[in-house]
């Protein structure tokens, strides 16, 4: 069954699947170059058009969407009074162009199919008139991949947390003995006009602190994780006292509403330096969610923990949870933010159509995330500004450049899906100089507080880092921190955090031979098993997608060289 999946909100994306087989998936920001792009209910046109060029959309049998803002033209249920009101607003230029789908459902107490002009949507999407529409719950979409990609789990808690979706901020699900139970979340409150969970949301708490620190919400929360290491949790007690765990394990707060949460944090920020507020918020996040998981564990014993939603992009939090007693394995969905929703939405449709046993029987390991378009290297990309400095035997040449502390960008395979660069669109640097962090951030116009991440061959990971059964799977996708073994801390200072941890990526040769071979030959030449891996992008830009974008970054002196599969390129003034 061909399923078109769309998320038309924050982190807009489109996907096409044949049951569980991925045919195409893309995030709009990688095409329009607007980071964290929100299409506000409109089709993400560039990524969608690319899909239309590659696949016949007349074969689509089902469409699944998340419930976001949608254009007014898609709605068909407007009472006469509302139409008159909208007409008056249009005269004075105040007509709203987009409406929140759940708000409309609550207002008129009608399901999506009765509110929306589905024939018009089919026409605009270019799909068959008999294709069926599905609308999936936000947190359920986050949760399903956490179980699907762990085929050997038979006893797990799946925990979702984010800034909000479908007017909820958490989802708790228990999987045991082939049975899935929703402990908290779902669509029970979908028509409840009074239901809003913002005041209880740790994700919203963290985002408000992000804004207080002068950064952008829903974009720069990672900076707060790094900033927290430079502060002391001086207002921890005041903030922690506002949160409690219900007997069923669900996080709750004493705030009257969302505005009181924001007011409390802004008043708290006047009592301490911003790094202390960051440290306090980080510790509250860790402690409250750890207590929530442990409470759930007493009620529904489990040994495996699946995590998804934007809150779990916090790598320090994930480490804390992985170290809780009784946790044997932790898996964080790599596209844990809203860009992963289309994956879970497809799974939701397949479950509805084929049954949950079908879902369980088709579970598989995730493998690599090089899901983007591939660009076989061609020297025709180059013009007079560029010079090929190595051909064919590029591994030794790349290692020599890295030994000389040159900044080398790697462009190979399909672009990674998700927020992390994992060796297809990565910048590689020697890890021996801690000051390289400041140098690279300046060249990339970044403001970062956290050292760069290391990449290590899977075979050597346990020698350098404190690898456990609980954190090993997460390391493949750079979604967790862990302690660095003392004998290595002074040898790779560029990737060590203040607290002695790092955020490693493990790599297998079968996933990315070029990446792996450069790392291995560098290790042979230097004795160092790690390289710095940071994403190939400038500040406020999405990760590089095309070779032309990579060469532009080279020309702008963001990097010294770009390593393609068959040659290495520099600018003519370098060689």
């Amino acid at each position: 069954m061909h399923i078109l999946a769309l998320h038309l909100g924050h982190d807009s994306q489109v996907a096409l699947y044949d049951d569980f087989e991925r045919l195409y998936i893309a995030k709009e920001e990688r095409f329009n170059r607007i980071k964290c792009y929100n299409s506000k209910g409109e089709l993400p046109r560039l990524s969608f058009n690319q899909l239309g060029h590659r696949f016949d959309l007349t074969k689509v049998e089902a469409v699944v969407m998340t419930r976001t803002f949608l254009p007014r033209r898609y709605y068909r249920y407007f009472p006469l009074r509302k139409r008159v009101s909208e007409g008056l607003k249009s005269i004075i230029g105040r007509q709203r162009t987009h409406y929140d789908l759940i708000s409309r459902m609550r207002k008129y107490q009608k399901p999506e199919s009765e509110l929306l002009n589905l024939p018009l949507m089919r026409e605009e999407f270019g799909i068959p008139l008999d294709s069926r529409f599905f609308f999936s719950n936000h947190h359920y979409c986050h949760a399903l991949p956490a179980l699907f990609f762990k085929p050997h789990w038979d006893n797990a808690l799946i925990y979702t947390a984010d800034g909000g979706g479908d007017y909820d901020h958490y989802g708790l699900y228990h999987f045991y003995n082939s049975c899935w139970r929703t402990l908290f979340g779902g669509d029970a409150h979908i028509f409840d006009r009074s239901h809003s969970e913002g005041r209880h949301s740790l994700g919203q708490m963290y985002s408000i602190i992000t804004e207080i620190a002068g950064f952008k919400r829903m974009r720069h929360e990672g900076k707060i994780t790094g900033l927290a290491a430079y502060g002391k949790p001086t207002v921890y007690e005041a903030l922690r006292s506002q949160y409690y765990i219900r007997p069923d394990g669900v996080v709750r707060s004493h705030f009257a509403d969302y505005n009181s949460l924001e007011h409390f944090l802004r008043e708290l920020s006047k009592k301490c330096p911003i790094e202390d507020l960051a440290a306090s918020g980080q510790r509250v996040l860790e402690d409250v969610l750890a207590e929530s998981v442990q409470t759930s564990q007493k009620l529904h014993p489990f040994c495996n923990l699946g995590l998804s939603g934007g809150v779990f992009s916090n790598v320090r939090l994930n480490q804390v949870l992985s170290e809780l007693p009784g946790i044997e394995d932790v898996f964080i969905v790599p596209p844990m933010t809203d860009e992963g929703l289309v994956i879970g939405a497809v799974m939701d449709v397949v479950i509805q159509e084929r049954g949950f046993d079908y879902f369980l029987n088709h579970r598989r390991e995730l493998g690599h995330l090089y899901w983007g378009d591939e660009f076989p290297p061609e020297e025709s990309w180059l013009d007079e500004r560029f010079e090929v400095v190595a051909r064919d035997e590029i591994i030794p040449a790349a290692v020599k450049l890295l030994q000389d502390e040159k900044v080398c960008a790697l462009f190979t395979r399909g672009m990674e899906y998700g927020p992390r660069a994992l060796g297809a669109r990565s910048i590689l640097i020697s890890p021996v100089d801690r000051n390289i962090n400041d140098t690279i951030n300046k060249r990339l116009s970044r403001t970062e507080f956290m050292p760069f991440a290391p990449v290590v061959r899977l075979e050597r990971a346990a020698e350098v880092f404190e690898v456990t059964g609980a954190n090993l799977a997460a390391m493949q996708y750079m979604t967790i921190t862990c302690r660095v073994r003392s004998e290595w801390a002074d040898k790779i200072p560029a990737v060590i955090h203040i607290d002695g941890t790092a955020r490693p990526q493990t790599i297998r040769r079968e996933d990315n031979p070029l990446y792996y071979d450069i790392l291995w030959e560098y290790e042979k030449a230097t004795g160092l098993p790690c390289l710095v891996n940071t994403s190939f992008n400038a500040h406020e830009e999405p990760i590089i997608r095309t070779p032309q974008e990579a060469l532009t970054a080279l020309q702008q002196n963001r990097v010294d060289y770009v390593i393609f599969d068959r040659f290495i390129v520099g600018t003519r003034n370098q060689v």
Side-chain angles (χ1 to χ4, degrees), residues 257-427:
D257 51 32
Y258 174 83
N259 290 334
S260 61
L261 162 64
E262 181 165 7
H263 177 76
F264 181 88
L265 289 170
R266 294 193 180 277
E267 290 299 309
L268 208 59
S269 70
K270 299 175 183 178
K271 301 177 182 179
C272 65
I274 191 60
E275 59 267 27
D276 287 1
L277 180 63
S280 301
Q282 176 68 28
R283 185 173 162 190
V284 167
L285 181 73
E286 295 169 6
D287 290 356
V288 172
L289 285 177
E291 183 180 345
S292 175
V293 168
Q294 290 179 300
T295 300
S296 299
Q297 193 174 32
K298 292 175 183 177
L299 295 170
H300 315 281
F302 61 85
C303 56
N304 301 303
L305 181 61
L307 305 172
S308 190
V311 165
F312 297 112
S313 61
N314 191 302
V315 291
R316 168 63 190 170
L317 165 66
N318 297 340
Q319 177 185 348
V320 169
L321 297 180
S322 76
E323 294 171 349
L324 293 176
I327 302 298
E328 298 177 4
D329 190 13
V330 170
F331 177 67
I332 304 101
V333 176
M336 72 290 287
T337 61
D338 283 1
E339 64 189 300
L341 290 174
V342 289
I343 303 171
V346 167
M347 294 175 182
D348 180 17
V349 173
V350 178
I351 289 171
Q352 291 186 55
E353 295 295 296
R354 314 276 197 215
F356 194 69
D357 286 344
Y358 186 84
F359 169 88
L360 294 180
N361 292 334
H362 285 78
R363 288 191 292 167
R364 79 260 331 239
E365 296 290 343
L366 177 58
H368 66 73
L369 289 170
Y370 306 126
W371 293 354
D373 293 330
E374 296 194 28
F375 299 86
E378 302 287 347
E379 291 193 31
S380 60
W381 296 339
L382 309 178
D383 58 29
E384 66 278 0
R385 297 172 298 172
F386 304 106
E387 180 90 15
V388 174
V389 300
R391 288 185 179 86
D392 299 324
E393 296 295 325
I394 64 172
I395 304 296
V399 170
K400 179 63 167 61
L401 293 172
L402 291 166
Q403 285 183 275
D404 292 341
E405 299 190 1
K406 299 299 183 182
V407 180
C408 298
L410 191 60
F411 191 102
T412 184
R413 303 214 55 175
M415 178 185 57
E416 305 91 335
Y417 194 75
R420 310 282 190 238
L422 299 171
R425 304 291 187 273
S426 289
I427 292 174

Side-chain angles (χ1 to χ4, degrees), residues 8 66 71 105 190 208 219 270 278 322 324 365 443 523 526:
L8 308 183
T66 54
M105 294 169 68
I190 204 72
I208 293 169
R219 184 178 300 185
K270 299 175 183 178
S322 76
L324 293 176
E365 296 290 343
R443 288 180 71 171
E523 180 181 334
T526 65

Side-chain angles (χ1 to χ4, degrees), residues 72-86:
R72 185 187 189 281
R73 67 181 181 277
Y74 288 165
Y75 290 92
R76 67 180 183 183
Y77 187 81
F78 280 88
L80 177 60
R81 181 178 61 185
K82 183 67 177 178
R83 294 200 301 270
V84 171
S85 173
E86 289 297 309

Side-chain angles (χ1 to χ4, degrees), residues 107-131:
K107 184 179 180 69
Y108 300 115
Q109 295 293 295
K110 292 183 178 292
E112 303 94 340
S113 59
E114 294 185 28
L115 285 172
L116 297 172
N117 187 339
L118 298 183
L120 174 62
M121 296 172 72
R122 291 185 183 98
E123 180 183 352
E124 290 198 7
F125 298 171
I127 57 176
L129 297 179
D130 60 352
S131 56

Side-chain angles (χ1 to χ4, degrees), residues 36-57:
C36 301
Y37 177 70
N38 188 337
S39 69
K40 298 180 180 178
E42 300 287 353
L43 273 177
R45 282 292 174 186
L46 297 178
S47 54
F48 188 82
N49 288 345
Q50 182 77 358
L51 168 63
H53 290 320
R54 293 177 54 180
F55 296 95
D56 182 2
L57 295 184

